[in-house]
Amino acid sequence: MFKWLKSGSPWIWLTGGAVSISLLSVLGLLLLIGWKGLSYFWPAPLYQWQTQQGDSLVGQLYAEEYVPISHLREMDIILPAMVEEKGQVKRLSIKVANRDIYPADFISLLELDLLEATRPQGWAVVERTRGGDFFGIPRGYYHGEKVSDDHLTHITRGLAFASELRDDIDRLVTKQIRVLSGQAEQLRLEKRRRELNGKLDQAFITRYDTQTRIISQQLVDMEAELDRLRAQLLEQGLVIEDMHGDQYRIPLSDILDIWYPNQMSMLDKIGHWAQQAWKFLSSDPRESNSEGGVFPAMFGTVLMVLIMSIVVMPLGVIAAVYLHEYAKNNAFTRIIRVAVINLAGVPSIVYGVFGLGFFVYTLGGSIDALFYTERLPSPTFGTPGLLWSALTLAVLTLPVVIVATEEGLTRIPSSVRHGSLALGATQFETMWRIVLPMASPAIITGLILAVARAAGEVAPLMLVGVVKLASTLPVDSQFPFLHLERKFMHLGFHIYDVGFQTTNIEAARPLVYATSFLLVTVIIGLNLTAISIRNNLREKYRTLGQD
């Protein structure tokens, strides 16, 4: 036994066991998040219960839990003797939806207060633009004052018609109204610029008044067209009956989709799940981010990480090359190394405060004073935005890239450098053509670590650019196409906002899991891309050195 302990084999087994437990824990956590998130898109069946008082209750079974009898006694709830012997009672959390009619989206009832559940036929789930889902039985389809009983045919046509109208409305807003508003703003800024420079003449004033009048009239006409298109969505819709027998009218403007979960086959459910997952990835959020998709947040996260990578890579590599290849080992160099190591341990919120004070107020304010005086006092770059968020995270991840790159440079034998110099190459040529290519796998390793940390950071971004809801994407068809001054959405902040700031926590909880799983997937995708590049570089320079 003593020889076995002395041989070191127990420590090998303990290390392997610890690694295995860690991997299983991570995989288990990912599976839990993935299951909770992906099941959010599955069409849950609708159940119908009868209460002991004879009332009908229709909804989706959201959760089940067992409540100790002692807790119910403290709430002065009288229970049958048969139930008290069991020691606990099952409590059901039921989503009844129709939140604009009922006081709550979810209700909790004890199982003993309900009769056996059934799955009623003919009940539909209506996905709405606001107010959450609506559970009910479609009774007809109205168009103006006329009501038709053939709701199945009409609602299919109506949804296709509504989709076309929404595309027309979106096209009118983004490609015409927003462009004209931008032209009017450019005219106003040009007039302001001429006033500041003392170049405002009568000819420009005349042209300004004429063009402003034309643009204003065009905007009025387009607003009228917009109102006409929206009115068409209000003229027709679905007549639906809720669980109490009351009938309501839901206009097409509020209906996004409708399905009958209790009548769907397994193939239909899989198709519906894929459709809902795609809508989650490709659409904008609704209802204070508690419903809808996360496309702006996903787009903002990836774009910010890409800009951060473009900034941090050259800075980190140049700093590492200077420290390892050019700088002498003196007190100044040692201070720099200690500072780099300490920077890696600074809390991220401190970087956010630094970014707000230096990048936003100092650097951004100076840019506004030099190049955007006509826009003042409204800031352009002197306010949190995409550029400052990327630069803040670049500073945050800079120590990671420096340390990884310097370790890669250390692994390259000195004989390689000496051989290159002996053949007549300069020190810069040796560095550029020999050393850096051999160290490229280590550089990419630093990038992988930087991306993994930056993509999940939220605290500093709350100060330097991320917002709850961004009206436009940082990239569009308007010059200069990439708008670095705009605020943006981020998956990490979206998770925080949905999980802790929304008014309907129960309804938004599955969305938190889905967004969390998407964020992990985005980070893994970015890392796998970098890993594949690193492996190709490692294979290419295998004969010269190893990372």
Side-chain angles (χ1 to χ4, degrees), residues 33-61:
I33 296 175
W35 173 258
K36 292 281 189 178
L38 295 178
S39 61
Y40 169 71
F41 310 111
W42 189 259
L46 289 173
Y47 294 96
Q48 183 174 11
W49 294 268
Q50 294 292 330
T51 64
Q52 298 292 349
Q53 293 76 23
D55 298 328
S56 178
L57 179 66
V58 177
Q60 294 174 343
L61 184 59

Side-chain angles (χ1 to χ4, degrees), residues 289-350:
N289 290 347
S290 62
E291 293 181 7
V294 293
F295 176 74
M298 181 175 61
F299 185 87
T301 302
V302 175
L303 182 60
M304 183 207 62
V305 170
L306 291 178
I307 296 175
M308 181 274 302
S309 302
I310 293 172
V311 173
V312 75
M313 285 303 294
L315 291 178
V317 172
I318 290 173
V321 168
Y322 169 77
L323 289 174
H324 190 271
E325 301 292 333
Y326 292 95
K328 297 180 180 179
N329 188 15
N330 50 31
F332 177 71
T333 313
R334 288 192 291 270
I335 291 175
I336 292 178
R337 294 183 190 277
V338 172
V340 169
I341 295 173
N342 289 335
L343 281 176
V346 174
S348 59
I349 190 65
V350 176

Side-chain angles (χ1 to χ4, degrees), residues 271-293:
H272 177 83
W273 178 88
Q275 181 185 9
Q276 292 296 107
W278 172 248
K279 287 167 61 176
F280 174 73
L281 296 175
S282 60
S283 61
D284 295 338
R286 309 187 311 269
E287 290 288 302
S288 187
N289 290 347
S290 62
E291 293 181 7

Side-chain angles (χ1 to χ4, degrees), residues 433-445:
R433 296 179 178 274
I434 304 297
V435 177
L436 283 181
M438 293 176 61
S440 56
I443 296 174
I444 301 299
T445 300

Side-chain angles (χ1 to χ4, degrees), residues 197-381:
N197 297 332
K199 297 180 180 180
L200 185 63
D201 52 14
Q202 187 60 38
F204 178 80
I205 294 177
T206 304
R207 181 167 62 89
Y208 172 80
D209 293 338
T210 303
Q211 293 184 358
T212 301
R213 190 162 48 249
I214 294 173
I215 292 175
S216 298
Q217 184 58 45
Q218 290 177 338
L219 286 174
V220 170
D221 295 339
M222 290 181 184
E223 289 290 346
E225 176 66 14
L226 196 61
D227 293 338
R228 186 187 67 82
L229 293 176
R230 289 171 176 168
Q232 294 184 41
L233 291 175
L234 296 173
E235 291 177 353
Q236 51 186 309
L238 188 66
V239 179
I240 194 166
E241 182 181 300
D242 71 346
M243 61 185 177
H244 296 312
D246 301 324
Q247 290 191 356
Y248 300 90
R249 290 192 173 193
I250 306 178
L252 272 182
S253 59
D254 291 348
I255 301 177
L256 291 175
D257 198 3
I258 181 172
W259 62 92
Y260 299 83
N262 293 346
Q263 299 168 218
M264 298 174 70
S265 64
M266 181 58 66
L267 190 61
D268 294 334
K269 291 183 178 181
I270 294 175
H272 177 83
W273 178 88
Q275 181 185 9
Q276 292 296 107
W278 172 248
K279 287 167 61 176
F280 174 73
L281 296 175
S282 60
S283 61
D284 295 338
R286 309 187 311 269
E287 290 288 302
S288 187
N289 290 347
S290 62
E291 293 181 7
V294 293
F295 176 74
M298 181 175 61
F299 185 87
T301 302
V302 175
L303 182 60
M304 183 207 62
V305 170
L306 291 178
I307 296 175
M308 181 274 302
S309 302
I310 293 172
V311 173
V312 75
M313 285 303 294
L315 291 178
V317 172
I318 290 173
V321 168
Y322 169 77
L323 289 174
H324 190 271
E325 301 292 333
Y326 292 95
K328 297 180 180 179
N329 188 15
N330 50 31
F332 177 71
T333 313
R334 288 192 291 270
I335 291 175
I336 292 178
R337 294 183 190 277
V338 172
V340 169
I341 295 173
N342 289 335
L343 281 176
V346 174
S348 59
I349 190 65
V350 176
Y351 286 99
V353 175
F354 168 77
L356 182 65
F358 178 72
F359 290 131
V360 177
Y361 293 151
T362 303
L363 193 56
S366 301
I367 292 175
D368 285 349
L370 289 174
F371 302 104
Y372 298 96
T373 53
E374 70 277 4
R375 296 177 180 265
L376 295 175
S378 298
T380 301
F381 281 92

